[in-house]
């Protein structure tokens, strides 16, 4: 008997005729039954990229019961986050078990402002059948940096006396750590900046 096709089950018959040295033989048949087994669910490899400071929707997609002849209700469980760059601010409250609908699940963690780096979401998919009935998969997520404008902190009101020197302090900050260049577009006559 040759190799069997993957993910196929059912019965087939092998017919043969053994003969003795005189050429006399009796036709025989062997019936083989291949029992169906459950295959673990399949999850396509997934990576996602988002810019910092935006809403994130991590789509766990292409989750199927397995090969073409598999069926069943899929559930997600053991959903966990690995966040080595500390970019996640808040993880949504997820039920212990999530029913997979139309092969897709959406997870929407809230990211910290002005943070970038990477994190991952790991989960287990189960089809409820006999073992092997579960697959564990990971989605790798990259959060890319976005250039933020510098901020200026200055007194709201400048109080100065006519003809007297006056000084005021203001602070310029760039959350990305970039060097900041100041340029003056207009000043009152006689004003100097240092």
């Amino acid at each position: 008997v040759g190799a069997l096709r993957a993910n196929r089950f059912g019965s087939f018959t092998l017919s043969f005729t053994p003969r003795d040295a005189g050429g006399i033989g009796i036709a025989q048949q062997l019936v083989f039954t291949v029992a169906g087994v459950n295959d673990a669910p399949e999850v396509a490899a997934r990576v996602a990229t988002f810019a910092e400071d935006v809403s994130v929707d991590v789509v766990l997609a292409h989750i199927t019961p397995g090969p073409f002849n598999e069926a069943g209700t899929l559930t997600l469980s053991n959903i966990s986050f690995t966040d080595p760059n500390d970019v996640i601010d808040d993880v949504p409250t997820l039920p212990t078990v999530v029913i997979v609908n139309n092969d897709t699940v959406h997870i929407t963690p809230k990211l910290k402002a002005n943070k970038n780096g990477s994190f991952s979401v790991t989960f287990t998919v189960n089809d409820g059948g006999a073992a092997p009935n579960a697959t564990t998969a990971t989605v790798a997520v990259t959060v890319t940096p976005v250039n933020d404008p510098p901020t200026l902190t200055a007194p709201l009101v400048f109080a100065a006396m006519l003809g007297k020197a006056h000084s005021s302090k203001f602070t310029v900050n760039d959350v990305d750590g970039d060097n900041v260049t100041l340029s003056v577009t207009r000043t009152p006559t006689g004003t100097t900046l240092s």
Side-chain angles (χ1 to χ4, degrees), residues 91-115:
V91 174
T93 301
L94 300 169
T96 306
V97 174
V98 178
I99 304 299
V100 179
N101 186 17
N102 296 326
D103 87 352
T104 301
V105 172
H106 297 266
I107 296 180
T108 54
K110 181 181 177 184
L111 303 185
K112 291 182 178 177
N114 302 310
K115 291 286 284 186

Side-chain angles (χ1 to χ4, degrees), residues 28-193:
Q28 302 287 327
Q29 284 189 334
L30 290 176
V31 177
F32 293 87
T33 300
V34 179
V37 296
N38 185 46
D39 292 287
E42 295 177 349
V43 181
R46 177 92 177 131
V47 295
T49 301
F50 301 94
E52 68 179 30
D53 302 330
V54 300
S55 297
V56 173
D57 182 8
V58 180
V59 181
L60 313 181
H62 307 294
I63 303 169
T64 64
F68 66 94
N69 59 352
E70 295 287 326
T73 299
L74 299 178
T75 58
L76 244 66
S77 59
N78 303 323
I79 301 170
S80 63
F81 293 81
T82 302
D83 184 15
N85 299 120
D86 194 31
V87 296
I88 299 175
D89 186 40
D90 185 38
V91 174
T93 301
L94 300 169
T96 306
V97 174
V98 178
I99 304 299
V100 179
N101 186 17
N102 296 326
D103 87 352
T104 301
V105 172
H106 297 266
I107 296 180
T108 54
K110 181 181 177 184
L111 303 185
K112 291 182 178 177
N114 302 310
K115 291 286 284 186
N116 55 75
S118 61
F119 67 92
S120 61
V121 184
T122 301
F123 57 96
T124 300
V125 184
N126 191 301
D127 64 12
N133 58 6
T135 299
T136 297
T138 298
V139 177
V141 182
T142 300
V143 180
T144 58
V146 172
N147 188 32
D148 295 280
T151 57
L152 175 70
T153 305
L156 295 177
V157 177
F158 291 99
M161 294 183 67
L162 189 63
K164 300 266 186 180
H166 173 74
S167 66
S168 290
K169 281 181 142 184
F170 58 89
T171 304
V172 179
N173 183 44
D174 188 277
V175 71
D176 301 314
D178 299 330
N179 291 327
V180 177
T181 302
L182 296 177
S183 59
V184 178
T185 55
R186 189 177 68 173
T187 61
T189 303
T191 302
T192 60
L193 296 176

